[in-house]
């Protein structure tokens, strides 16, 4: 059974204004994404402190910050399928409320040993699944020609990691280790209550009757699922990797103080977040493939430059800022591609798979960087690998990501309307 959104039911045609309620739902979903991502990223800024206090190795520190990433990534697959079935109105409050328990565990008792931190980090991954709830919810409220911008704005909720970067260490210093966790738990509780009261699915939404397994199987047969997964693994995966590992990189590679490293990471995150809606907006106008190609080319250049470990001022800073902008815009473009080429009744399932690929793309690099630094006392090889992978993704984008949409004719199965061109 096919979902019918406001865009697909004929109420909002090309050029027609988007109802104010759609923008309200977008704002609520973006806020929920940001709050859950704030919780998801709480361990990263404290990684150096845990390393010193618990005498962790570089690999153990990398594992600590990577565990929430991989759990939150893989969890997007079932959560995306559940969102197709029950809707974002139900799933957003559930995910937000479920994230409260691991946050409280980490703040009250789970920060005294590596084992307790890993257990808390595992369940903290629930917060990372919020992405798979918001994309199908937002996608259904907007017509195809506005989805790039809408999904890009929603994606800016990944700025929750910037909130964590800017506040976590300061709150610990001003209060105690429990302070940032208790504050985040309170905000999650407030959002869960607000979402339960105010959030709504798009008019005309009909839940699919197929099982989650059959819907996931159908999503995996779509070419766009694999194309977008590969590209999002590089674009968003690169962003996640830097957002969780950059404080360690700057502290170890450049000798920066923990607070200075966290502030610079926050700057990286803020720029990437700001560029994600721009990437979606630009994709609505020139096509996601062109935006992805430009973004990946910039990452190749930035990573290759940083592999030589130049001075932070100005070359290193410019390289990181260029990569931040490119990774943010590329992330927005990847989901603009998903929004345009995925049948409406499969957006949640496809989002779950693609979102998982993006998160997993951010899981391996911190582990690789930590291991390579332990072996060579240098991060150069890790950055060379990033440049190489990005170059491969660029070649893939230019040669393979111009196939027809899933129905083979460039038309949306849900609406019967021709999609905007997206090929380069």
């Amino acid at each position: 059974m096919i979902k019918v959104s406001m865009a697909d039911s004929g109420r909002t045609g090309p050029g027609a204004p988007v109802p104010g309620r759609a923008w309200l739902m977008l704002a609520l979903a973006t806020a929920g994404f940001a709050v859950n991502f704030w919780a998801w990223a709480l361990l990263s800024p404290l990684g150096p402190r845990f390393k010193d206090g618990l005498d962790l190795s570089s690999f153990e520190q990398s594992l600590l910050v990577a565990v929430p990433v991989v759990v939150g990534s893989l969890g997007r697959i079932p959560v995306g399928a559940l969102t197709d079935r029950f809707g974002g109105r139900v799933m957003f409050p559930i995910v937000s409320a479920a994230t409260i328990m691991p946050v409280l565990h980490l703040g009250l008792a789970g920060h005294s040993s590596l084992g307790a931190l890993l257990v808390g980090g595992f369940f903290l991954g629930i917060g990372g699944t919020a992405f798979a709830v918001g994309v199908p919810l937002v996608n259904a409220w907007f017509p195809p020609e506005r989805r790039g911008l809408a999904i890009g704005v929603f994606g800016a909720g990944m700025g929750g990691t910037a909130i964590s970067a800017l506040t976590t260490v300061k709150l610990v210093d001003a209060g105690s280790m429990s302070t940032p966790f208790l504050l985040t738990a309170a905000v999650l509780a407030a959002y869960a209550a607000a979402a339960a009261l105010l959030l709504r699915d798009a008019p005309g939404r009909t839940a699919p009757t197929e099982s989650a397994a059959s819907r996931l199987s159908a999503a995996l047969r779509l070419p766009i699922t694999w194309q977008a997964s590969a590209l999002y693994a590089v674009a968003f995966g690169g962003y996640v990797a830097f957002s969780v590992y950059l404080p360690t990189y700057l502290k170890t590679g450049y000798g920066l103080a923990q607070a200075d490293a966290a502030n610079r990471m926050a700057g990286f995150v803020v720029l990437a977040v700001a560029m994600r809606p721009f990437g979606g907006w630009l994709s609505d106008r020139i096509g996601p493939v062109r935006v992805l190609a430009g973004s990946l080319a910039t990452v190749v250049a930035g990573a290759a430059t940083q592999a030589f470990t130049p001075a932070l001022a100005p070359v290193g800073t410019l390289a990181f800022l260029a990569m931040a902008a490119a990774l943010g815009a590329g992330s927005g473009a990847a989901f603009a591609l998903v929004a345009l080429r995925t049948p409406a009744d499969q957006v949640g399932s496809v989002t779950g798979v693609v979102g998982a690929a993006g998160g997993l793309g951010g899981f391996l690099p911190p582990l690789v960087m930590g291991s390579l630094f332990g072996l060579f006392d240098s991060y150069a090889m890790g950055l060379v690998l990033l440049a190489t992978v990005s170059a491969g993704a660029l070649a893939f984008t230019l040669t393979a990501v111009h196939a027809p949409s899933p129905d083979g004719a460039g038309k949306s199965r849900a609406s019967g309307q021709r999609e905007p061109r997206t090929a380069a």
Side-chain angles (χ1 to χ4, degrees):
M1 193 174 291
I2 295 176
K3 292 181 190 176
V4 181
S5 71
M6 181 173 288
D8 300 328
S9 65
R11 298 185 189 183
T12 306
V18 177
R21 198 176 189 193
W23 295 108
L24 175 60
M25 294 305 109
L26 173 58
L28 287 169
T30 304
F33 183 28
V35 169
N36 280 277
F37 249 45
W38 175 10
W40 195 38
L42 280 170
L43 292 180
S44 175
L46 296 172
R49 185 163 298 196
F50 290 134
K51 179 182 180 181
D52 295 340
L54 300 175
D55 195 25
L56 305 180
S57 67
S58 294
F59 179 80
E60 288 172 333
Q61 180 186 356
S62 300
L63 182 63
L64 175 63
V65 299
V67 163
V69 173
V70 71
V71 174
S73 302
L74 292 175
R76 291 173 185 177
I77 297 175
V79 168
L82 288 170
T83 302
D84 276 341
R85 176 66 179 85
F86 297 106
R89 180 185 182 183
V90 171
M91 292 302 298
F92 242 132
I94 289 176
V95 167
S96 301
T99 306
I100 295 173
M101 293 308 296
V103 170
L104 289 176
H105 162 76
L106 288 166
L108 297 176
H111 54 264
S112 57
S113 69
L114 177 60
L117 283 167
L118 290 176
V119 170
F122 181 90
F123 290 100
L124 194 64
I126 295 171
T129 67
F131 181 75
V133 178
V135 169
L137 185 148
V138 170
N139 187 78
W141 275 102
F142 286 82
E145 68 274 10
R146 295 287 191 94
R147 287 177 184 162
L149 174 61
I151 299 299
V153 171
F154 168 75
M158 68 187 189
T161 56
I163 299 174
S164 179
L166 289 170
T167 64
T168 303
V169 174
K170 293 176 182 177
L171 287 170
V172 169
D173 290 340
S176 67
M177 184 61 72
S178 300
T179 305
F181 296 94
L182 294 176
L183 175 61
T184 307
V187 176
L188 280 166
Y191 177 77
L197 291 172
L198 302 174
L199 206 59
R200 296 291 184 272
D201 292 307
R205 177 188 177 277
T206 304
T209 57
E210 301 87 350
S211 68
S214 64
R215 284 183 281 119
L216 178 59
S217 176
L220 292 175
R221 291 195 296 269
L222 297 175
I224 183 59
T225 303
W226 298 104
Q227 293 174 355
S229 291
L231 296 172
Y232 199 60
V234 177
F236 184 71
Y239 162 78
V240 170
F242 277 122
S243 69
V244 301
Y245 199 73
L246 195 56
T248 300
Y249 174 89
L250 294 173
K251 184 175 184 291
T252 306
Y254 285 94
L256 298 185
Q258 181 182 353
D260 190 12
N263 287 337
R264 290 173 184 266
M265 185 270 272
F268 180 97
V269 168
V270 167
L271 180 57
V273 167
M275 289 298 294
R276 185 156 179 162
F278 177 77
W281 172 84
L282 193 61
S283 296
D284 286 339
R285 281 149 182 79
I286 67 173
V289 173
R290 288 191 177 96
V291 178
L292 281 161
S295 298
L296 290 167
T298 302
V299 174
V300 172
T305 299
Q306 192 57 35
F308 293 97
T309 318
L312 271 180
V315 178
T317 298
L318 290 175
F320 275 117
L321 291 179
M323 286 191 287
L327 293 169
S331 297
F335 263 93
L337 194 67
V338 169
L340 287 173
R341 296 186 178 181
T342 304
D345 61 326
Q346 293 177 283
V347 172
S349 297
V350 172
T351 294
V353 176
V354 176
L360 290 175
F363 172 72
L364 290 178
L367 298 179
V368 172
M369 293 287 276
S371 299
L372 290 175
F373 185 83
L375 290 173
F376 302 109
D377 199 33
S378 170
Y379 289 116
M381 186 59 67
L383 287 156
V384 169
L385 285 174
L386 173 61
T388 303
V389 171
S390 299
L394 173 60
F396 175 72
T397 299
L398 295 174
T399 58
V401 192
H402 51 70
S405 55
D407 59 0
K411 295 180 182 180
S412 166
R413 293 179 183 174
S415 65
Q417 295 177 339
R418 176 166 293 274
E419 296 172 352
R421 287 183 54 126
T422 57

